[in-house]
Amino acid sequence: MAKEKLVKNITSRDENFAQWYTDVVREAQLCDYSSVKGCLNYLPNGYAIWELIQADLDKRFKETGVENVSLPLLIPEALLEKEADHVDGFAPEVAWVTHGGMERLQERLCIRPTSETLFCDLWARTVKSYRDLPKVWNQWNSVLRWEKTTRPFLRSREFLWQEGHTIHATYEEAEERTIQMLHVYEDCYKETLAIPFVSGRKAEHEKFAGAQDTYTIEALMHDGKALQSATSHFFGSGFPDAFDIKYVDKNNELQSVYETSWGWSTRSIGALIMVHGDDDGLVLPPHVAPVECRVIPIAQHKEGVLDKAYALLDELKKAGYRVKIDDSEKSPGWKFSEQEMLGIPTRIEIGPKDLEKNQVIVVRRDTREKIVVSMDEIAVKLRDILETIQQDMYNRANDFLQSHVDTAVTMDEMAEKFKKNRGFVKACWCGDPECEGEVKYVTGGAATRCLIEDEDMISDKCIWCGKPAKHMAYWGKSY
């Protein structure tokens, strides 16, 4: 049956990737701009994806001992200024509340860009003894950062995220928690979002404001650009000391605490779109698909077709699937195209001939493969098909990532590879930000994404200046 093109408003991905992305967000009805410049309305289709990500992450967090809390939206200016590096890092992005009603406030209040200061202020007043530690907390909220350039999900002024904050009695325990949460993020990206990545420590000048170490997950989009997809930060004792957070240990001696923070945002939805999407729209991994399957009756006006489709819908719902039916008066071709646009992983076609044969046709969104399944087995077989889709989507994305990682030992080689290819280039570097700036200029935007610390360096010289190399890094252009 010919498929009617619902996707005529989607630009080809290879023709104009930025426009393709915007078109998919619009046509799949994931979000829309609000009347507040740079802020989004999250529509049901987009927010449902976030709810599934949130539920998955929240479960993973709690398995490691994380507890959820909720702290205020507003931060007093004096509180924000207690940690100098933090203030300097966020000052250009802060929005201020100056009036309450008609009266000017005695002290400006910042709308939270992040909540380290609020957590530290609370802990300074409540943590007194080693018995009060550790604190392993998280909150799901929105934050506001006054970005100049915005794009749906990738960069907006207000965005949804989670921010975890912890304090510990020892340096080692805090450092271990920092790495543990990075691994939680890695597992979620791989197992739930079917997105591969490179990960590691950020260069010194790329650390989060006030952090001693920042660890990042860098996913590769289809256009060959990297997307910083989640971060975990180790603060040491500097931030807590600025707030005078101390505790009395078992020997009755006063000690500092050590802090971490870690965050994941709705930017991950942008990653889903750009890693898995195609020219027909969204392609969602089953684990984060709000609807795993859409039942589409064919020739539904014929006797028995709709009744059987509704019975199948009920059976699949009872079996635990997220499933809906399209019983509208639209043509089957239009229904197929809409299902593909929305990224629903499977559709089940059922018509008069299928009733005669006691079968249905399952069509995969990712490959368009048609699979004949007995009606007696569909409630079991559909789960197998969905899990195969999930794994296949990860494998394809990982093949793309691995085929777009290269190496370079000279600047000419590096410039040529970024000119010809998309993706990451492994290269060595002295650690000087000025050298990185020169590389970025020559390559048209490539910078260090994260350091590679578990492999032997491919050169002993900096890719730019030729001085002794201190690091090997993944270099790439990014969002």
Side-chain angles (χ1 to χ4, degrees):
M1 181 178 295
K3 185 180 73 174
E4 298 176 29
K5 288 295 282 184
L6 180 66
V7 296
K8 60 184 178 181
N9 294 326
I10 294 184
T11 304
S12 168
R13 189 174 57 174
D14 293 331
E15 177 186 330
N16 186 329
F17 191 80
Q19 188 59 52
W20 167 83
Y21 176 82
T22 300
D23 292 346
V24 171
V25 170
R26 181 191 66 246
E27 296 299 316
Q29 300 178 30
L30 300 177
C31 71
D32 195 8
Y33 281 113
S34 72
S35 57
V36 181
K37 187 177 179 181
C39 295
L40 300 175
N41 295 314
Y42 293 87
L43 302 179
N45 291 348
Y47 196 78
I49 296 171
W50 179 241
E51 287 181 310
L52 288 171
I53 294 173
Q54 182 181 25
D56 185 282
L57 269 178
D58 201 61
K59 181 175 182 292
R60 294 175 189 269
F61 291 166
K62 287 173 179 173
E63 287 172 352
T64 73
V66 175
E67 297 177 296
N68 284 333
V69 297
S70 180
L71 273 62
L73 171 70
L74 301 174
I75 305 173
E77 184 171 14
L79 203 60
L80 192 68
E81 291 178 342
K82 280 196 172 185
E83 214 289 329
D85 290 340
H86 193 66
V87 174
D88 292 343
F90 278 105
E93 300 177 348
V94 168
W96 295 98
V97 176
T98 59
H99 287 73
M102 301 299 293
E103 296 183 8
R104 188 171 187 86
L105 301 177
Q106 291 184 341
E107 180 182 15
R108 294 193 301 174
L109 299 173
C110 145
I111 299 175
R112 65 181 172 219
T114 181
S115 302
E116 278 79 7
T117 53
L118 290 172
F119 278 84
C120 284
D121 178 58
L122 172 60
W123 288 330
R125 291 182 282 106
T126 57
V127 172
K128 303 299 178 185
S129 164
Y130 68 91
R131 297 183 182 88
D132 299 324
L133 296 172
K135 298 294 187 189
V136 185
W137 291 355
N138 172 69
Q139 65 174 355
W140 296 92
N141 60 14
S142 67
V143 290
L144 187 69
R145 299 177 184 177
W146 212 255
E147 301 279 3
K148 294 180 180 179
T149 304
T150 61
R151 291 188 68 188
F153 297 117
L154 302 180
R155 194 173 296 277
S156 57
R157 288 182 174 172
E158 183 185 19
F159 57 88
L160 303 174
W161 77 338
Q162 59 74 212
E163 48 176 320
H165 300 271
T166 76
I167 52 173
H168 306 265
T170 68
Y171 182 106
E172 292 77 16
E173 187 180 325
E175 190 174 46
E176 181 180 345
R177 171 59 69 168
T178 306
I179 301 300
Q180 181 183 25
M181 300 317 294
L182 176 70
H183 292 332
V184 168
Y185 289 155
E186 289 173 337
D187 290 345
C188 189
Y189 262 102
K190 180 177 180 179
E191 297 166 5
T192 306
L193 276 66
I195 292 178
F197 49 82
V198 299
S199 61
R201 190 161 54 92
K202 278 287 192 183
E204 187 71 17
H205 64 288
E206 291 286 343
K207 297 184 306 185
F208 182 77
Q212 182 172 316
D213 284 307
T214 288
Y215 296 86
T216 180
I217 290 174
E218 302 284 330
L220 188 66
M221 306 300 101
H222 185 77
D223 65 345
K225 290 184 180 179
L227 183 71
Q228 181 175 290
S229 302
T231 50
S232 186
H233 315 286
F234 175 57
F235 284 98
S237 59
F239 215 112
D241 283 350
F243 284 79
D244 198 28
I245 305 174
K246 305 288 183 182
Y247 74 97
V248 176
D249 67 13
K250 292 180 180 180
N251 298 320
N252 208 33
E253 295 178 351
L254 204 59
Q255 303 288 350
S256 294
V257 299
Y258 299 86
E259 185 182 2
T260 82
S261 76
W262 21 277
W264 171 309
S265 77
T266 40
R267 174 175 274 211
S268 55
I269 299 176
L272 279 171
I273 298 166
M274 292 193 289
V275 169
H276 298 304
D278 63 20
D279 285 351
D280 287 327
L282 197 59
V283 183
L284 289 174
H287 292 184
V288 286
V291 179
E292 295 171 295
C293 180
R294 178 174 281 188
V295 177
I296 299 180
I298 309 299
Q300 63 187 47
H301 61 284
K302 294 193 175 181
E303 184 179 356
V305 173
L306 266 180
D307 289 341
K308 192 62 180 178
Y310 289 137
L312 177 61
L313 178 71
D314 290 341
E315 180 185 1
L316 293 176
K317 283 183 176 180
K318 289 176 182 176
Y321 293 97
R322 299 186 295 274
V323 59
K324 291 188 176 182
I325 189 170
D326 188 344
D327 56 1
S328 69
E329 294 299 321
K330 298 172 185 174
S331 69
W334 184 273
K335 294 178 182 182
F336 298 164
S337 188
E338 185 177 59
Q339 169 258 325
E340 292 178 2
M341 166 75 74
L342 297 175
I344 297 171
T346 59
R347 68 172 179 262
I348 294 179
E349 301 173 9
I350 180 170
K353 292 182 180 179
D354 299 306
L355 295 184
E356 293 174 7
K357 298 176 182 179
N358 193 43
Q359 68 180 30
V360 295
I361 308 297
V362 179
V363 184
R364 290 176 52 162
R365 169 63 180 91
D366 61 326
T367 63
R368 273 70 169 196
E369 178 188 0
K370 294 189 174 185
I371 305 166
V372 178
V373 180
S374 166
M375 287 188 189
D376 298 330
E377 298 179 328
I378 185 62
V380 174
K381 289 293 182 74
L382 182 58
R383 181 59 61 200
D384 294 337
I385 293 169
L386 289 169
E387 289 306 310
T388 298
I389 292 172
Q390 181 81 24
Q391 188 60 51
D392 286 353
M393 288 182 68
Y394 176 81
N395 291 343
R396 281 194 298 273
N398 192 48
D399 287 345
F400 179 84
L401 170 62
Q402 299 306 324
S403 66
H404 289 80
V405 177
D406 215 327
T407 60
V409 295
T410 69
M411 192 59 229
D412 287 343
E413 186 181 10
M414 189 178 196
E416 185 65 19
K417 288 186 175 179
F418 273 117
K419 184 178 179 180
K420 289 184 176 180
N421 304 314
R422 303 172 293 170
F424 295 114
V425 172
K426 295 180 183 180
C428 295
W429 171 54
C430 65
D432 188 340
E434 291 189 9
C435 286
E436 181 180 14
E438 296 291 350
V439 172
K440 190 173 185 178
Y441 177 78
V442 170
T443 59
T448 59
R449 302 312 305 159
C450 63
L451 304 181
I452 305 170
E453 298 177 303
D454 58 353
E455 298 180 23
D456 293 334
M457 294 208 300
I458 59 175
S459 173
D460 59 359
K461 294 180 180 179
C462 174
I463 192 77
W464 177 258
C465 68
K467 293 179 180 178
K470 295 181 180 178
H471 309 288
M472 184 166 69
Y474 287 106
W475 297 72
K477 300 176 183 180
S478 66
Y479 283 91

